[in-house]
Amino acid sequence: MNAADLTAVARQLVAGDKGLLAMDESIATCNRRFAALGIPQTEPARRAWRELLITSPRLSACISGAILCDETFQQSTAAGAPFTQVLAAAGILSGVKVDAGAVYLAGHPGETVTEGLDGLRARLAAYVRQGARFAKWRAVIAVGDRLPTLGCIDANAHALARYAALCQEAGLVPIVEPEVLMTGGHSLSACRDATECVLRGVFDQLQRQRVLLEGMLLKPNMVLPGLGCPAQETVDAVADATVDTLMRVVPAAVPGIVFLSGGQSGELATARLNAMNLRRETRGARLPWALSFSFGRALQHPALELWRGEAANVIPSQQALLHRAACNRAARRGAYGPAMDAA
Ligand code: 13P
C-alpha cells in the first residue's frame, strides 16, 4: 500500500463520526473478564462472544473498524463464515493486535516493555493476505514514585516506532497505543506530565523511523487522576487537560486520535469524549485531528454483563453494545448528554 492508500484508510477509520471497537483482549484477559461473571473460560465461549459483537445489527452505523486478537482473527461464526469476511460484508475494517504483550523491563522495577518485533514482518504479511487493513501495538506505562523512567519510555517508544514502520511497509495502518495507566493514587497533573513525556518520546521515535504520520492513528489514554486519587476531577477538567496535552505534542499531520477507555465506566468515557469535542465549539479551539474512540471495556462491558454466556441474552446484549456505540458516535459531535443514557 502506498502513502495515499495508508492515508485513505487512516482517514476512513475516523470518518463519519464513527469509532473503533477494541475486542482484542488476549485469551488471558478475556478469560479473566468471563470468570468475574461466571462465564466458562473456553475457546467456544470466547468465539460465541466475539460472534455476538460482530454480528450486532447496524453496528457499522457507529463502528468503522474492529480490532481482533490473533485467536479471533482466525475464527468463524457458528455457520462457518470467517469473522473477517463478516466484518467486511458489514463495511467494517478488520484490524489485528500484533504485539506479544508486556514483560518486566530489566533494571526498571515496576515497569514493562512490550515485545513482539521478532518475526513481525512475516506475521504482518500473513495478516494482510487474510484481509487485515490496520494493526495495533500497546505499550504500558505506569505512573508512580519516580515513574515512568526515561529508560522505560525510550524502550517502549522505540518498539512502537519499529512496529509502526513495519506495518506501513506491509500496507497496514498502525494504531500506536502508549497507555499511561490509571492504576494508582497519582494526581491528574502527574498523569499529564507522564502523558506529555511519553508522547514526546513516541513522536520523536516515529519520526526517526520514518513513519508516515498521515497514515497512522494515535491511541492514547485520557489525562486522568489515578483510580485511587482522592481528588477525582470534573468531566470538563479532564477534557481540558487531555486536549491541552495533546495539542502540545501530537503533530497536526496525524489524522485521528482514538482514545482507549482504560477502566473508566462507559458513561464517563463517553461524557469526557463529548466534552473534548464540545470544547472545539465553545472555545473556538479548532483541533487539527479527529477525536474519536477505540474503547474496549467502555463499549463491551454493559453488553457482557447482560450476555453472561446465555444464548437467550444475545439480543439485549447486542442492543446494549449498539447503545454505547451510538452514545460515543454522538460524543464525537459533542451531541451526547446524560439523557441519552437515562433513556
Ligand atoms: P480499554 O478501552 O478497555 O482500555 O481497551 C482498549 C484497548 O485496546 C486496550 O489495549
PDB file of all heavy atoms in Angstrom, residues 22-25 33 67 97 136 138 177 179 219 259-263 294-299, ligand 1:
ATOM      1  N   ALA A  22     -12.639  -2.000  20.132  1.00  0.00           N
ATOM      2  CA  ALA A  22     -11.483  -2.803  20.545  1.00  0.00           C
ATOM      3  C   ALA A  22     -12.016  -4.079  21.187  1.00  0.00           C
ATOM      4  O   ALA A  22     -12.654  -4.038  22.246  1.00  0.00           O
ATOM      5  CB  ALA A  22     -10.614  -2.020  21.527  1.00  0.00           C
ATOM      6  N   MET A  23     -11.805  -5.207  20.500  1.00  0.00           N
ATOM      7  CA  MET A  23     -12.265  -6.512  21.027  1.00  0.00           C
ATOM      8  C   MET A  23     -11.115  -7.503  20.900  1.00  0.00           C
ATOM      9  O   MET A  23     -11.309  -8.653  20.522  1.00  0.00           O
ATOM     10  CB  MET A  23     -13.522  -6.982  20.279  1.00  0.00           C
ATOM     11  CG  MET A  23     -13.469  -6.851  18.775  1.00  0.00           C
ATOM     12  SD  MET A  23     -14.964  -7.453  17.941  1.00  0.00           S
ATOM     13  CE  MET A  23     -14.717  -9.232  18.034  1.00  0.00           C
ATOM     14  N   ASP A  24      -9.910  -6.997  21.226  1.00  0.00           N
ATOM     15  CA  ASP A  24      -8.685  -7.768  21.007  1.00  0.00           C
ATOM     16  C   ASP A  24      -8.056  -8.211  22.322  1.00  0.00           C
ATOM     17  O   ASP A  24      -6.844  -8.439  22.387  1.00  0.00           O
ATOM     18  CB  ASP A  24      -7.674  -6.912  20.235  1.00  0.00           C
ATOM     19  CG  ASP A  24      -7.307  -5.633  20.982  1.00  0.00           C
ATOM     20  OD1 ASP A  24      -8.231  -4.998  21.538  1.00  0.00           O
ATOM     21  OD2 ASP A  24      -6.125  -5.259  21.022  1.00  0.00           O
ATOM     22  N   GLU A  25      -8.871  -8.331  23.372  1.00  0.00           N
ATOM     23  CA  GLU A  25      -8.312  -8.796  24.640  1.00  0.00           C
ATOM     24  C   GLU A  25      -7.595 -10.134  24.403  1.00  0.00           C
ATOM     25  O   GLU A  25      -8.093 -10.986  23.676  1.00  0.00           O
ATOM     26  CB  GLU A  25      -9.420  -9.025  25.679  1.00  0.00           C
ATOM     27  CG  GLU A  25     -10.217  -7.800  26.060  1.00  0.00           C
ATOM     28  CD  GLU A  25     -11.339  -7.506  25.066  1.00  0.00           C
ATOM     29  OE1 GLU A  25     -11.561  -8.296  24.135  1.00  0.00           O
ATOM     30  OE2 GLU A  25     -11.985  -6.460  25.229  1.00  0.00           O
ATOM     31  N   ARG A  33     -12.195 -11.676  32.466  1.00  0.00           N
ATOM     32  CA  ARG A  33     -13.495 -10.955  32.451  1.00  0.00           C
ATOM     33  C   ARG A  33     -14.649 -11.948  32.474  1.00  0.00           C
ATOM     34  O   ARG A  33     -15.671 -11.708  33.124  1.00  0.00           O
ATOM     35  CB  ARG A  33     -13.560 -10.034  31.229  1.00  0.00           C
ATOM     36  CG  ARG A  33     -12.402  -9.045  31.281  1.00  0.00           C
ATOM     37  CD  ARG A  33     -12.637  -7.695  30.700  1.00  0.00           C
ATOM     38  NE  ARG A  33     -11.452  -6.887  30.994  1.00  0.00           N
ATOM     39  CZ  ARG A  33     -10.732  -6.233  30.107  1.00  0.00           C
ATOM     40  NH1 ARG A  33     -11.105  -6.214  28.846  1.00  0.00           N
ATOM     41  NH2 ARG A  33      -9.672  -5.551  30.479  1.00  0.00           N
ATOM     42  N   ILE A  67     -10.867  -4.210  16.194  1.00  0.00           N
ATOM     43  CA  ILE A  67      -9.523  -4.749  16.451  1.00  0.00           C
ATOM     44  C   ILE A  67      -9.683  -6.134  17.079  1.00  0.00           C
ATOM     45  O   ILE A  67     -10.364  -6.273  18.112  1.00  0.00           O
ATOM     46  CB  ILE A  67      -8.722  -3.856  17.423  1.00  0.00           C
ATOM     47  CG1 ILE A  67      -8.852  -2.375  17.059  1.00  0.00           C
ATOM     48  CG2 ILE A  67      -7.249  -4.281  17.412  1.00  0.00           C
ATOM     49  CD1 ILE A  67      -8.182  -1.441  18.060  1.00  0.00           C
ATOM     50  N   LYS A  97      -4.344  -7.054  16.661  1.00  0.00           N
ATOM     51  CA  LYS A  97      -3.321  -6.728  17.667  1.00  0.00           C
ATOM     52  C   LYS A  97      -2.105  -7.606  17.385  1.00  0.00           C
ATOM     53  O   LYS A  97      -2.225  -8.830  17.336  1.00  0.00           O
ATOM     54  CB  LYS A  97      -3.885  -7.016  19.058  1.00  0.00           C
ATOM     55  CG  LYS A  97      -3.011  -6.507  20.170  1.00  0.00           C
ATOM     56  CD  LYS A  97      -2.546  -7.538  21.184  1.00  0.00           C
ATOM     57  CE  LYS A  97      -3.550  -8.493  21.714  1.00  0.00           C
ATOM     58  NZ  LYS A  97      -4.322  -7.987  22.815  1.00  0.00           N
ATOM     59  N   LYS A 136      -2.530  -3.002  15.672  1.00  0.00           N
ATOM     60  CA  LYS A 136      -2.400  -2.289  16.952  1.00  0.00           C
ATOM     61  C   LYS A 136      -1.258  -2.864  17.772  1.00  0.00           C
ATOM     62  O   LYS A 136      -1.018  -4.084  17.746  1.00  0.00           O
ATOM     63  CB  LYS A 136      -3.697  -2.416  17.746  1.00  0.00           C
ATOM     64  CG  LYS A 136      -3.653  -1.704  19.091  1.00  0.00           C
ATOM     65  CD  LYS A 136      -4.815  -2.091  19.982  1.00  0.00           C
ATOM     66  CE  LYS A 136      -4.309  -2.896  21.156  1.00  0.00           C
ATOM     67  NZ  LYS A 136      -5.305  -3.078  22.216  1.00  0.00           N
ATOM     68  N   ARG A 138       0.293  -2.153  21.840  1.00  0.00           N
ATOM     69  CA  ARG A 138       0.060  -1.391  23.073  1.00  0.00           C
ATOM     70  C   ARG A 138       1.298  -1.414  23.952  1.00  0.00           C
ATOM     71  O   ARG A 138       1.815  -2.484  24.283  1.00  0.00           O
ATOM     72  CB  ARG A 138      -1.113  -2.011  23.836  1.00  0.00           C
ATOM     73  CG  ARG A 138      -1.352  -1.467  25.230  1.00  0.00           C
ATOM     74  CD  ARG A 138      -2.644  -2.072  25.771  1.00  0.00           C
ATOM     75  NE  ARG A 138      -2.915  -1.694  27.150  1.00  0.00           N
ATOM     76  CZ  ARG A 138      -2.735  -2.510  28.193  1.00  0.00           C
ATOM     77  NH1 ARG A 138      -2.273  -3.739  28.010  1.00  0.00           N
ATOM     78  NH2 ARG A 138      -3.036  -2.096  29.408  1.00  0.00           N
ATOM     79  N   GLU A 177      -0.323   2.772  20.364  1.00  0.00           N
ATOM     80  CA  GLU A 177      -1.024   2.874  21.650  1.00  0.00           C
ATOM     81  C   GLU A 177      -0.054   2.905  22.828  1.00  0.00           C
ATOM     82  O   GLU A 177       0.340   1.857  23.336  1.00  0.00           O
ATOM     83  CB  GLU A 177      -2.007   1.707  21.830  1.00  0.00           C
ATOM     84  CG  GLU A 177      -2.774   1.790  23.156  1.00  0.00           C
ATOM     85  CD  GLU A 177      -3.767   0.651  23.378  1.00  0.00           C
ATOM     86  OE1 GLU A 177      -3.782  -0.304  22.579  1.00  0.00           O
ATOM     87  OE2 GLU A 177      -4.508   0.722  24.358  1.00  0.00           O
ATOM     88  N   GLU A 179      -0.156   3.504  26.508  1.00  0.00           N
ATOM     89  CA  GLU A 179      -1.174   3.688  27.558  1.00  0.00           C
ATOM     90  C   GLU A 179      -0.525   4.029  28.888  1.00  0.00           C
ATOM     91  O   GLU A 179       0.152   3.196  29.485  1.00  0.00           O
ATOM     92  CB  GLU A 179      -2.021   2.411  27.724  1.00  0.00           C
ATOM     93  CG  GLU A 179      -3.007   2.556  28.893  1.00  0.00           C
ATOM     94  CD  GLU A 179      -3.998   1.403  29.052  1.00  0.00           C
ATOM     95  OE1 GLU A 179      -3.913   0.436  28.286  1.00  0.00           O
ATOM     96  OE2 GLU A 179      -4.847   1.502  29.963  1.00  0.00           O
ATOM     97  N   LYS A 219      -3.477   6.094  19.697  1.00  0.00           N
ATOM     98  CA  LYS A 219      -4.476   5.613  20.664  1.00  0.00           C
ATOM     99  C   LYS A 219      -3.941   5.867  22.068  1.00  0.00           C
ATOM    100  O   LYS A 219      -3.264   5.014  22.656  1.00  0.00           O
ATOM    101  CB  LYS A 219      -4.747   4.128  20.431  1.00  0.00           C
ATOM    102  CG  LYS A 219      -5.696   3.513  21.445  1.00  0.00           C
ATOM    103  CD  LYS A 219      -6.261   2.186  20.983  1.00  0.00           C
ATOM    104  CE  LYS A 219      -7.081   1.545  22.093  1.00  0.00           C
ATOM    105  NZ  LYS A 219      -7.883   0.427  21.631  1.00  0.00           N
ATOM    106  N   PHE A 259      -9.188   7.298  21.505  1.00  0.00           N
ATOM    107  CA  PHE A 259      -8.860   7.027  22.906  1.00  0.00           C
ATOM    108  C   PHE A 259      -9.168   5.590  23.302  1.00  0.00           C
ATOM    109  O   PHE A 259     -10.144   4.999  22.831  1.00  0.00           O
ATOM    110  CB  PHE A 259      -9.667   7.946  23.829  1.00  0.00           C
ATOM    111  CG  PHE A 259      -9.242   9.375  23.751  1.00  0.00           C
ATOM    112  CD1 PHE A 259      -9.983  10.290  23.032  1.00  0.00           C
ATOM    113  CD2 PHE A 259      -8.088   9.799  24.389  1.00  0.00           C
ATOM    114  CE1 PHE A 259      -9.587  11.615  22.954  1.00  0.00           C
ATOM    115  CE2 PHE A 259      -7.689  11.122  24.312  1.00  0.00           C
ATOM    116  CZ  PHE A 259      -8.435  12.029  23.588  1.00  0.00           C
ATOM    117  N   LEU A 260      -8.362   5.058  24.223  1.00  0.00           N
ATOM    118  CA  LEU A 260      -8.697   3.831  24.946  1.00  0.00           C
ATOM    119  C   LEU A 260      -9.539   4.241  26.144  1.00  0.00           C
ATOM    120  O   LEU A 260      -9.546   5.417  26.542  1.00  0.00           O
ATOM    121  CB  LEU A 260      -7.414   3.117  25.383  1.00  0.00           C
ATOM    122  CG  LEU A 260      -6.468   3.887  26.308  1.00  0.00           C
ATOM    123  CD1 LEU A 260      -6.750   3.604  27.765  1.00  0.00           C
ATOM    124  CD2 LEU A 260      -5.026   3.598  25.983  1.00  0.00           C
ATOM    125  N   SER A 261     -10.257   3.303  26.749  1.00  0.00           N
ATOM    126  CA  SER A 261     -11.064   3.682  27.917  1.00  0.00           C
ATOM    127  C   SER A 261     -10.352   3.369  29.227  1.00  0.00           C
ATOM    128  O   SER A 261     -10.594   4.051  30.233  1.00  0.00           O
ATOM    129  CB  SER A 261     -12.456   3.051  27.873  1.00  0.00           C
ATOM    130  OG  SER A 261     -12.417   1.650  27.843  1.00  0.00           O
ATOM    131  N   GLY A 262      -9.520   2.362  29.266  1.00  0.00           N
ATOM    132  CA  GLY A 262      -8.576   2.182  30.364  1.00  0.00           C
ATOM    133  C   GLY A 262      -9.142   1.838  31.730  1.00  0.00           C
ATOM    134  O   GLY A 262      -8.419   1.909  32.718  1.00  0.00           O
ATOM    135  N   GLY A 263     -10.443   1.524  31.805  1.00  0.00           N
ATOM    136  CA  GLY A 263     -11.022   1.209  33.109  1.00  0.00           C
ATOM    137  C   GLY A 263     -12.050   2.243  33.551  1.00  0.00           C
ATOM    138  O   GLY A 263     -12.643   2.123  34.628  1.00  0.00           O
ATOM    139  N   SER A 294     -11.650   4.259  20.627  1.00  0.00           N
ATOM    140  CA  SER A 294     -11.290   2.870  20.314  1.00  0.00           C
ATOM    141  C   SER A 294     -11.408   2.120  21.634  1.00  0.00           C
ATOM    142  O   SER A 294     -10.440   1.610  22.179  1.00  0.00           O
ATOM    143  CB  SER A 294      -9.853   2.809  19.762  1.00  0.00           C
ATOM    144  OG  SER A 294      -9.472   1.455  19.575  1.00  0.00           O
ATOM    145  N   PHE A 295     -12.633   2.128  22.155  1.00  0.00           N
ATOM    146  CA  PHE A 295     -12.861   1.598  23.502  1.00  0.00           C
ATOM    147  C   PHE A 295     -13.018   0.081  23.481  1.00  0.00           C
ATOM    148  O   PHE A 295     -13.598  -0.481  22.546  1.00  0.00           O
ATOM    149  CB  PHE A 295     -14.134   2.202  24.114  1.00  0.00           C
ATOM    150  CG  PHE A 295     -14.086   3.698  24.345  1.00  0.00           C
ATOM    151  CD1 PHE A 295     -15.269   4.427  24.384  1.00  0.00           C
ATOM    152  CD2 PHE A 295     -12.892   4.376  24.551  1.00  0.00           C
ATOM    153  CE1 PHE A 295     -15.263   5.798  24.620  1.00  0.00           C
ATOM    154  CE2 PHE A 295     -12.872   5.758  24.787  1.00  0.00           C
ATOM    155  CZ  PHE A 295     -14.071   6.466  24.819  1.00  0.00           C
ATOM    156  N   GLY A 296     -12.521  -0.544  24.537  1.00  0.00           N
ATOM    157  CA  GLY A 296     -12.755  -1.956  24.760  1.00  0.00           C
ATOM    158  C   GLY A 296     -13.842  -2.107  25.809  1.00  0.00           C
ATOM    159  O   GLY A 296     -15.033  -2.255  25.506  1.00  0.00           O
ATOM    160  N   ARG A 297     -13.420  -1.993  27.085  1.00  0.00           N
ATOM    161  CA  ARG A 297     -14.370  -2.184  28.177  1.00  0.00           C
ATOM    162  C   ARG A 297     -15.541  -1.214  28.117  1.00  0.00           C
ATOM    163  O   ARG A 297     -16.680  -1.579  28.398  1.00  0.00           O
ATOM    164  CB  ARG A 297     -13.644  -2.038  29.524  1.00  0.00           C
ATOM    165  CG  ARG A 297     -12.878  -3.258  29.920  1.00  0.00           C
ATOM    166  CD  ARG A 297     -11.841  -2.943  30.971  1.00  0.00           C
ATOM    167  NE  ARG A 297     -10.696  -2.239  30.420  1.00  0.00           N
ATOM    168  CZ  ARG A 297      -9.626  -1.885  31.103  1.00  0.00           C
ATOM    169  NH1 ARG A 297      -9.558  -2.152  32.391  1.00  0.00           N
ATOM    170  NH2 ARG A 297      -8.623  -1.278  30.514  1.00  0.00           N
ATOM    171  N   ALA A 298     -15.293   0.055  27.784  1.00  0.00           N
ATOM    172  CA  ALA A 298     -16.366   1.056  27.814  1.00  0.00           C
ATOM    173  C   ALA A 298     -17.429   0.787  26.751  1.00  0.00           C
ATOM    174  O   ALA A 298     -18.539   1.301  26.847  1.00  0.00           O
ATOM    175  CB  ALA A 298     -15.789   2.465  27.653  1.00  0.00           C
ATOM    176  N   LEU A 299     -17.112  -0.014  25.730  1.00  0.00           N
ATOM    177  CA  LEU A 299     -18.142  -0.425  24.760  1.00  0.00           C
ATOM    178  C   LEU A 299     -18.728  -1.788  25.112  1.00  0.00           C
ATOM    179  O   LEU A 299     -19.922  -2.020  24.968  1.00  0.00           O
ATOM    180  CB  LEU A 299     -17.535  -0.506  23.354  1.00  0.00           C
ATOM    181  CG  LEU A 299     -17.394   0.805  22.570  1.00  0.00           C
ATOM    182  CD1 LEU A 299     -16.536   0.587  21.327  1.00  0.00           C
ATOM    183  CD2 LEU A 299     -18.766   1.345  22.165  1.00  0.00           C
TER     184      LEU A 299
HETATM  185  P1  13P B   1      -9.989  -0.418  27.040  1.00  0.00           P
HETATM  186  O1  13P B   1     -10.839   0.606  26.334  1.00  0.00           O
HETATM  187  O2  13P B   1     -10.756  -1.423  27.815  1.00  0.00           O
HETATM  188  O3  13P B   1      -8.869   0.222  27.801  1.00  0.00           O
HETATM  189  O4  13P B   1      -9.310  -1.275  25.898  1.00  0.00           O
HETATM  190  C1  13P B   1      -8.735  -0.623  24.825  1.00  0.00           C
HETATM  191  C2  13P B   1      -7.573  -1.385  24.348  1.00  0.00           C
HETATM  192  O5  13P B   1      -7.485  -1.665  23.178  1.00  0.00           O
HETATM  193  C3  13P B   1      -6.509  -1.736  25.302  1.00  0.00           C
HETATM  194  O6  13P B   1      -5.393  -2.166  24.598  1.00  0.00           O
END
